[in-house]
Amino acid sequence: MHVLTMPPPTTRLSAKDTPSRAQNSRLPAILALASVLVATLLIFWSYAKLSQTWDESAHIGTGMEWLSRGVYTLDPIDPPLPRVSTAVGPYLLGIRSFGNRNPWDEGNLILDAQGNAHLHKVLTAARLGILPYFLIAAFLTWRITRRWLGPWPAAMAVFLFSTCPPVLAHASLATTDMSFVAMFLFAIDMIWLAFQDPKPLRCALAGLGFGLACIAKLSAFPYLALCGFAFLVYMLWKKKRLPRIPAWAVFAVAAILTIWAGYHFSVGSLATDNIKSQQTVGHALAKLGPAGGPVAAIVNHLPAYQYFQGLRIAQRMKQFPPPGYLFGEVYYGGRWYFFLIMLLLKTPIPFTLLVVPGFVLAIRRVAKMHDGFALVPLAGIVFPILVATMSHINLGVRHVLVVYPFFAMLAALTGLSLYRSFHRSHKIATTAVALLLGWQLVSCLRVAPDFLTYFIEPVAARGGYIAIDSDYDWGQDLFRLRDELHILNASQVWVAYSGSADLNSYDLPGWKKLEPGQQVTGWVAISETMVRAHPDQYGWLAQYQPISTAGKTFRIYRVE
């Protein structure tokens, strides 16, 4: 038995199976391109409606430090690739680093560098830096699915990916998640191909993909390590052999150089600028005794040292995690089921109905040893979710956003199987799939441009009760708050806002911060997060009914 580099002919549509078009028809590619175009227009629309979210200013600030100062010291908790991408637009507008040591404040200075009137222009320029990653992810979804199942399933996969609200939500923002989706997808595909045929070029591309994913998000390493191990086991089982040492060496060199280049080929200490961090590293070295000298030389001269600093900070966050929220409960330490529930409630119902059978079909294909590539989408789903369920940090479905391209591939497998099952009447399968796709498109258009707040139809009205933070209220409705307060002729307003923006940059009417526990009269605007996460501090507002809302995340009260 042997592993095929390409899937066997039986996994593709034959000419007689295609819905009235030949296998080489351009129609599937046109439909896929149209899906991406519609998604891109929806993303552009969201730029005009959504103010900055919690993390955008920090990403822009740290990326600008990399571009204009040639260093990456401001906040190493996230790698530089997506952050630099968000800073490219403002940099081209002539804005440079201000040198502020708080990444959020630095980002706010950059956004307001050309005055309040141009804040939206600078924010849009930053968000445009993430758009290419969405296009790359859509293209790779097409390319990989077409190679596996054929052009029509590939078109279906791209459609589902491009009309999925959680995907569009994070493709619209100057954050790290969409960049990671694209780079993870590229890496896992290249690693699989390198296992199939470990030529130097393929191994180098696999290493490049691995490195790019690592400088997109720290979680890339465990995700890809587990996926690679699964491929390794499969290859031992199927081929009874592994790539030779030169292939591994080419992969390792390409990966290390890519990561190092992402950090400006910097060399430095594992300890951060924090005094406590330096003391911790120093005490650890002292315990080594005579061996401490050589180890200290390595620890203090690490290539891409900020990457390792980021890992240390992430580890510390696991020990002292930020609070989570689910179904009205604020908690610490994480819930193993958090991401499973978020995926279930934020993935469109038709998408889920297609993914579940596809998951079963892919397992059967791998078990029967006739379609090894089915292991790729399975690994791309199972391992990120597995790692996330063990995490103590529950900050949103965005942390497992990488599963959606693989969801789309498995949904396409379901569509192909349905089409083949009804040999006598392809119209039944085609109609069923078309109805599901139409349902998803309507769901996507209905919620646009508020993709962040999307929940499936049965629970959509309870979104704020189910989740907050990046799954609902990430501080994105300041533009709408400004407009709504002007409509209400509110000249003075008390604001309890959950976000990182400088409210003075948004032309709000005269405003004052509503402090926790403070009871006031007059106009009050409060973020949904503040209401849900701090009922002890803002619960006094429960006796009043909001007279209006700004977007979906600000309640506006008139307290007499």
Side-chain angles (χ1 to χ4, degrees), residues 110-167:
I110 291 168
L111 288 171
D112 202 32
Q114 298 182 346
N116 295 3
H118 297 284
L119 183 146
H120 177 259
K121 179 181 72 173
V122 178
L123 181 59
T124 297
R127 289 172 171 174
L128 284 171
I130 297 302
L131 181 60
Y133 294 109
F134 167 73
L135 301 177
I136 291 170
F139 170 75
L140 289 173
T141 302
W142 161 267
R143 178 177 175 273
I144 294 169
T145 311
R146 189 184 191 282
R147 191 175 68 227
W148 182 31
L149 302 175
W152 281 104
M156 179 178 172
V158 172
F159 180 91
L160 288 167
F161 177 74
S162 300
T163 56
C164 183
V167 171

Side-chain angles (χ1 to χ4, degrees), residues 367-533:
K368 291 182 178 180
M369 304 282 286
H370 69 77
D371 185 4
F373 188 82
L375 183 61
V376 173
L378 289 175
I381 293 170
V382 170
F383 293 121
I385 293 178
L386 179 63
V387 172
T389 57
M390 296 187 292
S391 171
H392 296 295
I393 301 173
N394 295 166
L395 293 181
V397 75
R398 62 192 177 92
H399 285 182
V400 289
L401 198 70
V402 294
V403 303
Y404 279 106
F406 305 107
F407 275 3
M409 295 175 200
L410 295 186
L413 177 60
T414 300
L416 177 60
S417 299
L418 279 173
Y419 188 78
R420 287 176 169 171
S421 297
F422 293 90
H423 354 269
R424 297 186 179 179
S425 180
H426 290 318
K427 291 183 179 179
I428 297 176
T430 303
T431 301
V433 171
L435 288 174
L436 289 173
L437 297 183
W439 180 359
Q440 173 149 326
L441 178 61
V442 170
S443 296
C444 178
L445 296 176
R446 177 184 59 83
V447 75
D450 294 303
F451 302 114
L452 271 176
T453 63
Y454 173 81
F455 280 92
I456 59 175
E457 287 83 352
V459 300
R462 301 280 284 166
Y465 167 74
I466 297 169
I468 48 178
D469 200 70
S470 61
D471 284 323
Y472 194 82
D473 175 16
W474 219 11
Q476 70 269 22
D477 278 329
L478 286 176
F479 290 141
R480 288 157 162 176
L481 177 63
R482 175 199 62 196
D483 295 342
E484 188 65 20
L485 290 174
H486 285 307
I487 291 173
L488 294 171
N489 292 317
S491 59
Q492 297 286 332
V493 62
W494 296 90
V495 180
Y497 165 61
S498 176
S500 62
D502 180 357
L503 297 187
N504 293 315
S505 300
Y506 282 84
D507 295 326
L508 298 178
W511 69 276
K512 293 182 179 180
K513 181 180 179 182
L514 180 63
E515 300 292 347
Q518 182 184 15
Q519 297 190 28
V520 299
T521 58
W523 292 102
V524 176
I526 183 168
S527 294
E528 192 73 17
T529 294
M530 307 303 278
V531 175
R532 301 286 183 178

Side-chain angles (χ1 to χ4, degrees), residues 228-417:
F229 181 74
F231 299 163
L232 187 73
V233 171
Y234 183 83
M235 294 303 296
L236 280 173
W237 182 28
K238 193 74 181 284
K239 276 193 172 182
K240 311 297 182 185
R241 62 181 177 83
L242 293 174
R244 297 180 179 178
I245 291 177
W248 292 101
V250 170
F251 170 85
V253 169
I256 291 170
L257 287 176
T258 302
I259 295 172
W260 197 10
Y263 288 92
H264 274 304
F265 293 104
S266 60
V267 176
S269 172
L270 176 62
T272 65
D273 293 336
N274 183 283
I275 297 297
K276 187 176 180 180
S277 171
Q278 296 170 4
Q279 291 174 344
T280 301
V281 173
H283 291 159
L285 292 173
K287 291 179 181 180
L288 296 176
V295 174
I298 296 173
V299 168
N300 293 325
H301 299 85
L302 283 173
Y305 68 97
Q306 299 100 328
Y307 181 78
F308 298 99
Q309 289 180 347
L311 291 173
R312 287 189 64 241
I313 296 172
Q315 188 63 34
R316 191 161 62 246
M317 283 185 67
K318 290 181 181 179
Q319 298 173 359
F320 305 98
Y325 176 94
L326 186 65
F327 294 124
E329 178 191 3
V330 178
Y331 58 87
Y332 291 86
R335 297 287 186 270
W336 69 266
Y337 48 81
F338 174 85
F339 291 101
L340 296 175
I341 290 176
M342 285 300 101
L343 285 170
L344 179 65
L345 298 184
K346 291 190 76 71
T347 302
I349 293 174
F351 203 169
T352 302
L353 291 176
L354 290 166
V355 169
V356 172
F359 194 86
V360 176
L361 290 169
I363 292 174
R364 291 176 60 185
R365 283 174 171 242
V366 174
K368 291 182 178 180
M369 304 282 286
H370 69 77
D371 185 4
F373 188 82
L375 183 61
V376 173
L378 289 175
I381 293 170
V382 170
F383 293 121
I385 293 178
L386 179 63
V387 172
T389 57
M390 296 187 292
S391 171
H392 296 295
I393 301 173
N394 295 166
L395 293 181
V397 75
R398 62 192 177 92
H399 285 182
V400 289
L401 198 70
V402 294
V403 303
Y404 279 106
F406 305 107
F407 275 3
M409 295 175 200
L410 295 186
L413 177 60
T414 300
L416 177 60
S417 299

Side-chain angles (χ1 to χ4, degrees), residues 170-223:
H170 297 285
S172 305
L173 303 175
T175 52
T176 62
D177 304 289
M178 184 49 60
S179 167
F180 182 44
V181 171
M183 296 301 100
F184 181 79
L185 190 55
F186 173 68
I188 198 172
D189 186 41
M190 291 298 103
I191 291 171
W192 171 259
L193 292 177
F195 268 115
Q196 302 303 297
D197 186 10
K199 293 179 180 178
L201 179 59
R202 282 194 171 181
C203 293
L205 288 174
L208 173 67
F210 185 92
L212 289 173
C214 285
I215 59 174
K217 213 170 183 77
L218 292 178
S219 51
F221 191 90
Y223 288 5

